[in-house]
Amino acid sequence: MIDFKGITQDIAEPGSPSVVGSNSGSVQVELRQAVDYFRMAMEYLTQGRFDDAEQLYRMALNVSETAMGVDNPAIIGHLEELSNFYMNRAKFIEAEPYLKRIYALRINHSQTEDSYFVALADTIDKLAIVFERTGRSAEAEKLYLNLLRSQEKIKGGQDITTLDALSRLGNFYQRTGVYAAARAVFEELLEIQAIVSGANSAEVGAVLSSLSVVYGKLELCLEQIAVLERQVQVLDTIHGGCGLSLASALSRLADVLSGAVRLTGCKDLMERAELVYRRALSIYEKHYGPSTATVENLRVRLKKLSC
């Protein structure tokens, strides 16, 4: 969403970078016109007049470009408004040129603040989706690799933004079904995150959750059980033996153990699965009561275990 307050602040400050060297009076008029177009576009969206809204977004962007220049990072918000309009309607080809311009503007006006990284990473995520949905996953991969290498160079391998970039790369591989690569990324991330944040931190728990999904896709049953047990330990430490996130992790662990029982017939695995199911059940009953759908579903899974 466009920050109208920010735009009006620019209008009120003729000496700001966006208007230096221009006729400030005419620039102010043009920017006010752009704001009016954006407001009208949003009103049209609420009325379902999407074609009219699109036209107004384009007009607003043209006015902003004329007032501030096509290479001015101040127009990024205006470009985002139009690209979001297309992304929300799955018009990926139409969104692509605007996202590429946003990406180029951010790269060409790079900063070291974490807020800059967050904005750049958000743009990369959107542009990657465009590439993925149009059959160009290799181009999406390059975006994430470049982001990671850039953060490693600027901030080092253990900075929070570098770990975020590594996580995004892993999520990309997982999202596109390249599970062997996702495994390698998440295993590396897990090792670093444990050092940076602590072995029982929420950050480690999040990586373990992703890694368990990847192991499941690769049909690495024992490895999946191991990381889920570790995740349960982390959540147990954080939540003190209760909490719905712990119950959810326990349920996933019990399901995997149950699947291993069906494959191997191992009595030890069956006993472990039963204990884990019962613990998850007790937490859910405490939070939801004994007769909710979640509790009943868990009871059915527990009953099937012994059948």
Side-chain angles (χ1 to χ4, degrees):
M1 188 68 66
I2 290 294
D3 181 358
F4 291 115
K5 182 179 179 181
I7 293 176
T8 55
Q9 285 175 343
D10 284 340
I11 294 173
E13 298 174 7
S16 66
S18 60
V19 298
V20 169
S22 304
N23 184 318
S24 61
S26 62
V27 168
Q28 290 175 24
V29 171
E30 289 173 336
L31 290 177
R32 289 194 183 98
Q33 182 66 69
V35 170
D36 288 341
Y37 286 150
F38 276 118
R39 286 174 173 160
M40 289 175 64
M42 288 188 290
E43 181 64 26
Y44 284 163
L45 285 179
T46 64
Q47 299 171 8
R49 298 170 60 182
F50 301 119
D51 290 342
D52 291 334
E54 178 184 4
Q55 185 64 24
L56 283 169
Y57 279 133
R58 287 178 173 275
M59 290 169 61
L61 177 60
N62 289 338
V63 170
S64 299
E65 289 173 333
T66 300
M68 296 184 284
V70 295
D71 296 323
N72 191 328
I75 69 168
I76 285 177
H78 308 183
L79 290 165
E80 285 181 325
E81 196 72 22
L82 190 52
S83 66
N84 287 340
F85 173 84
Y86 289 127
M87 291 292 285
N88 291 337
R89 285 153 188 80
K91 293 185 174 183
F92 302 113
I93 297 300
E94 290 85 347
E96 181 176 344
Y98 300 104
L99 288 169
K100 283 183 173 179
R101 286 185 60 190
I102 296 167
Y103 178 71
L105 283 169
R106 294 200 188 282
I107 292 296
N108 293 333
H109 298 84
S110 62
Q111 304 168 26
T112 58
E113 291 83 358
D114 288 352
S115 58
Y116 164 78
F117 167 81
V118 172
L120 176 61
D122 178 68
T123 299
I124 286 173
D125 280 340
K126 292 176 181 177
L127 189 52
I129 289 172
V130 168
F131 289 150
E132 290 168 36
R133 297 295 179 87
T134 54
R136 293 173 288 165
S137 292
E139 292 184 54
E141 180 184 27
K142 289 179 182 178
L143 288 174
Y144 287 115
L145 287 171
N146 288 339
L147 179 66
L148 176 60
R149 290 164 183 160
S150 174
Q151 292 308 117
E152 286 176 335
K153 182 178 180 180
I154 297 171
K155 295 292 188 75
Q158 295 188 356
D159 185 79
I160 186 173
T161 59
T162 305
L163 298 182
D164 188 305
L166 188 59
S167 177
R168 289 172 192 267
L169 178 62
N171 290 335
F172 161 74
Y173 286 134
Q174 180 180 337
R175 191 167 66 238
T176 53
V178 188
Y179 297 117
R183 175 187 181 181
V185 170
F186 285 132
E187 286 179 344
E188 179 182 354
L189 179 60
L190 179 61
E191 183 178 343
I192 301 172
Q193 196 68 265
I195 296 171
V196 173
S197 303
N200 292 319
S201 63
E203 291 80 3
V204 164
V207 180
L208 289 168
S209 180
S210 297
L211 196 51
S212 72
V213 174
V214 171
Y215 284 154
K217 294 294 185 180
L218 292 171
E219 298 183 350
L220 299 172
C221 182
L222 294 180
E223 288 85 348
Q224 188 179 21
I225 290 172
V227 297
L228 283 170
E229 287 179 332
R230 186 173 171 187
Q231 185 187 17
V232 165
Q233 178 185 345
V234 169
L235 293 172
D236 217 348
T237 301
I238 294 173
H239 297 290
C242 58
L244 293 176
S245 59
L246 174 59
S248 177
L250 286 165
S251 298
R252 290 195 299 272
L253 173 57
D255 287 342
V256 175
L257 287 168
S258 179
V261 169
R262 289 191 293 271
L263 290 173
T264 66
C266 178
K267 184 178 179 181
D268 177 62
L269 289 176
M270 180 181 294
E271 291 174 351
R272 288 166 63 188
E274 182 178 354
L275 288 172
V276 175
Y277 270 135
R278 291 191 182 282
R279 188 177 176 203
L281 190 59
S282 68
I283 296 174
Y284 278 130
E285 286 178 333
K286 182 179 179 180
H287 280 270
Y288 293 142
S291 303
T292 61
T294 300
V295 170
E296 291 297 333
N297 181 267
L298 203 56
R299 284 187 181 134
V300 169
R301 283 142 68 186
L302 177 59
K303 185 176 180 181
K304 286 182 178 179
L305 181 64
S306 57
C307 293

